Structure formats: structure tokens, C-alpha cells
Amino acid sequence: MAFLRPQAWRGLSTVTILCCLLGHVHTERRIGIQVRLTADGRPLGTERQQVAASTLMAARHVNDRISTIVPPEVVALLPTDFKLGWEIRDTFSSPQVGVRDAVDWTGLETENAAEQPVDIIIGAIRSAVTGPVSLVAQVTNTPVLSYWSTSAALSDKAIYPNFARTIPPDSVSAFGMVNIIADVGWTSFSVLFIDDLYGVGYSQELASLAGNLGLTVGTAQRYTSGDEDSIRNAMTNVKQAGIRVVVVIAFAADMSAILRLSEQSGTSGRGWIWITGDAGDPFSVLDDSGDRAWAAEQLHGWLQVQPAAFAGENGPRFQRAWLSEPRATFNHSLLGNAADGDLQASSCPEICGFAYDAVWAAAMAISKSLPAEGE
């Protein structure tokens, strides 16, 4: 996690982008944090709550000047009297809800506006939510900083001039995927992808990179999240293509259904190579399946390519801070029984590092936009 190296803290490059966008100055500094805890009325599990909790941990570390993760040299850059206020909301995986929050936080709708507009919006998680949120936030020149939205389309500054992120875009992971395929000697592959901004953009990036390396995309099949019929149809078409190397761009919540339906269609298990992006870590997929032995057999031959927030000693250092964080930090209605210690019963997933970075990058950017003392 780059924020642990004082000379190359990843967040500082994001700060440079954001601080130039902060033209409005308020007496109290506030951020709005968007998280994704539910989808289609279903809770998405403890890991999503842990990611949300990591943003609250970061906010406390900013306000209390805690340097157990961010180096003291960086913490010392914050003005002495700087404090960061925040509000955290669940987008329910919905672009409409995300946009409603952005309208509220930026003061565009005066009747239901927040008491004071936020300086930066942190989030969202889904690229399909972050895109429209960024467009709405542009009206008030409010920056949007995401820790999980990876669609390469969001890098287009002509459309999203106020957008930044602490996580690398999908083009980085896609580059790794196609190079693995080429280096092994495979010449073609199929793609199964979710039908939204994230999945469509990822699929297009894969096709472009494949062409540059002389690889062929045999078929690219889209599916609708939570719709087993669409997954089944897509898997049938993948099998008919006859290519046993499949790149899967999916949500973690869909992985159990994908595994089950791929077994029914005869497109997984031994003899098949599946390559996934950030579709949940394998251990979570095993746990969610309800039958670890069966899921392990289906996952045989799977590769996962995704950005890593932790490297070397950075991971253990972050986890020590996470496990020792006072429970009161997580005392929020969105996090259920977090104050009882449920969230700290296990390590925080890697995405927590990017989320933690985002809050610190926002704090640094806002503090750099403040007038100097005496002005």
C-alpha cells in the first residue's frame, strides 16, 4: 500500500488533482462517503461492511492525527486545527440513489440539501453509480474520488474532469490478463461480463488489448446481475464457442450462481481455464457457495488478476491497526453490530487499503485548498 512509503504515497498524486478543483471554501470541512452494503434488497456481507468501516477508521486517524498507517511526515502536513466531518450512506447499488445523494450533498436541490455542501464525494463503488454521480457533481465543481470504481471509461477527462481514484483502472488488470494468455501460448479466449459500465468497458478494453497482441476474442457474452436465466444463456454460448479459456468480469454476489450454472453447462472444472478480475477473493467464493469441496473443484484452474493494495510489511501493518482500532469508531447504524466487534473478527479485505487512502487523499486535498493563516 503506497501510502506507507513517505516518498511515494499514492494519495499525494490524487491530492494534486483534487486540490486544484476545490474552488469553494467552507468553515467546516466535510466529505460524503458512498458505500455499497446491499443489492436488490440483499445484504452483501461482512466484507462490504469492513470496507465501509475502513473509511471511518481513516476519518478518525485524520482527526486524531494517528500515524500508525500514514507516515508521520504526511500527517504533519495537516493544519493544526483541521478537522474532517463526514456523512456515510449506502447507495443500495443503485445509480438513482447515488445521484440523489450527490444532489443532496452538493446543494443542488435546496429543499432537501444537506446543511452544508460537502467538499469531496468519496465513492461510489460501482462504476455504473460513480459515472452519473460524477456528472451531477460537476455542476458545483465538486470532486468525486473513488476507491473501487475501476471502469477505464471514467478516465476520460473530457467527460469526467472532476473524477479521481485511488485504485488502478481496469485497463491495468486487463493488460495483465491478456499478457498472461499470450505468454502461456493461448491464442484465443472468451469473455463473460456483467452488463453495466464496469463490465462493458472491461470487455472493450480486453478486446482492444487482445488485438494488439494478435489474440482473438472468440465470443463476448454479457449477463444481467442477479438474473440466472441471462447467466445460463451466456454460459451456453460460451460453451458453443468451444474456447476453454474464459475471462470472467462479474460481481462477487453473482459468483456462486456462475459456478453452479457453469457446472450445469459443462464449462468449468478440469479442462477449463477461467481468469477473473475483482470478482471476490476465492475464499469468499468458497464460503458463499455453501459447499466448499464442490466449489473448490469448480475453481480448479482459475486465475485471478486484480490490483493489490498491500505489499510486503504494508499489509500486516494495516491489519494490526485495523484489529486494534477502538470499536467505538465503527458505531454507526449502517454497520449493524460493528461496535460489538463482529467486523474485527477477521482481517479487512485488500480493498480497505484503497478506501482508507481515499479518505486521507480527500483530507490532504481539502487542507491544501484552505487559505494560509492570516489570509
Side-chain angles (χ1 to χ4, degrees):
M1 197 171 348
F3 53 59
L4 294 173
R5 298 195 296 274
Q7 302 305 317
W9 179 50
R10 180 179 61 243
L12 290 180
S13 62
T14 304
V15 167
T16 303
I17 297 172
L18 295 177
C19 70
C20 298
L21 300 174
L22 292 166
H24 51 290
V25 177
H26 306 306
T27 56
E28 181 186 7
R29 322 314 297 180
R30 296 183 67 243
I31 59 173
I33 304 173
Q34 293 185 317
V35 296
R36 182 179 181 229
L37 302 178
T38 53
D40 300 322
R42 297 175 291 109
L44 293 176
T46 301
E47 285 193 356
R48 297 305 179 107
Q49 289 188 319
Q50 289 175 316
V51 174
S54 69
T55 66
L56 304 188
M57 180 173 76
R60 188 185 81 83
H61 288 188
V62 167
N63 288 334
D64 292 352
R65 305 300 191 269
I66 305 296
S67 59
T68 53
I69 300 177
V70 172
E73 300 93 320
V74 175
V75 175
L77 297 175
L78 291 172
T80 304
D81 59 351
F82 178 82
K83 290 291 183 180
L84 188 67
W86 53 265
E87 182 180 3
I88 187 169
R89 298 183 182 181
D90 184 2
T91 66
F92 300 94
S93 308
S94 166
Q96 291 82 3
V97 174
V99 166
R100 182 193 66 197
D101 292 340
V103 169
D104 182 3
W105 281 335
T106 56
L108 285 174
E109 188 175 275
T110 55
E111 182 178 347
N112 297 315
E115 292 184 6
Q116 181 172 307
V118 300
D119 292 280
I120 294 177
I121 296 174
I122 303 291
I125 291 181
R126 288 186 63 197
S127 296
V129 177
T130 300
V133 165
S134 297
L135 294 176
V136 168
Q138 283 180 37
V139 177
T140 54
N141 204 34
T142 302
V144 174
L145 174 59
S146 178
Y147 52 89
W148 208 337
S149 294
T150 53
S151 172
L154 295 171
S155 297
D156 189 339
K157 289 302 178 184
I159 302 176
Y160 306 105
N162 292 3
F163 174 75
R165 51 185 153 204
T166 54
I167 188 171
D170 292 328
S171 53
V172 175
S173 297
F175 180 84
M177 290 177 178
V178 297
N179 275 274
I180 288 173
I181 292 171
D183 289 347
V184 172
W186 298 317
T187 58
S188 59
F189 61 94
S190 295
V191 181
L192 172 69
F193 65 95
I194 185 167
D195 189 10
D196 75 346
L197 181 65
Y198 158 66
V200 172
Y202 212 131
S203 176
Q204 293 172 345
E205 191 72 24
L206 286 166
S208 175
L209 292 169
N212 294 339
L213 294 178
L215 302 176
T216 301
V217 177
T219 185
Q221 296 294 321
R222 65 185 68 204
Y223 80 91
T224 302
S225 181
D227 185 343
E228 293 200 2
D229 287 337
S230 72
I231 297 174
R232 184 179 294 105
N233 292 336
M235 297 308 308
T236 298
N237 292 333
V238 165
K239 182 175 183 179
Q240 290 176 349
I243 301 171
R244 290 179 169 264
V245 179
V246 184
V247 175
V248 181
I249 310 304
F251 288 160
D254 295 322
M255 286 303 296
S256 292
I258 288 174
L259 281 179
R260 176 165 41 80
L261 294 172
S262 65
E263 180 191 35
Q264 293 176 8
S265 63
T267 55
S268 64
R270 299 182 186 276
W272 287 81
I273 302 296
W274 287 56
I275 304 175
T276 67
D278 53 350
D281 70 84
F283 297 105
S284 295
V285 174
L286 290 176
D287 291 338
D288 292 344
S289 69
D291 186 337
R292 290 177 62 90
W294 168 82
E297 180 65 20
Q298 299 309 306
L299 288 171
H300 181 83
W302 283 53
L303 304 174
Q304 186 175 42
V305 180
Q306 65 175 352
F310 302 136
E313 173 58 22
N314 299 342
R317 189 179 306 178
F318 184 93
Q319 299 302 344
R320 286 195 295 271
W322 164 255
L323 294 174
S324 62
E325 183 69 13
R327 294 180 180 180
T329 301
F330 311 131
N331 187 17
H332 192 280
S333 58
L334 284 181
L335 301 182
N337 296 324
D340 295 332
D342 293 356
L343 296 186
Q344 293 168 291
S346 61
S347 298
C348 210
E350 288 229 359
I351 201 72
C352 292
F354 296 119
Y356 186 94
D357 262 2
V359 173
W360 267 96
M364 297 298 297
I366 294 170
S367 70
K368 287 171 70 71
S369 73
L370 294 173
E373 290 187 13
E375 291 186 6

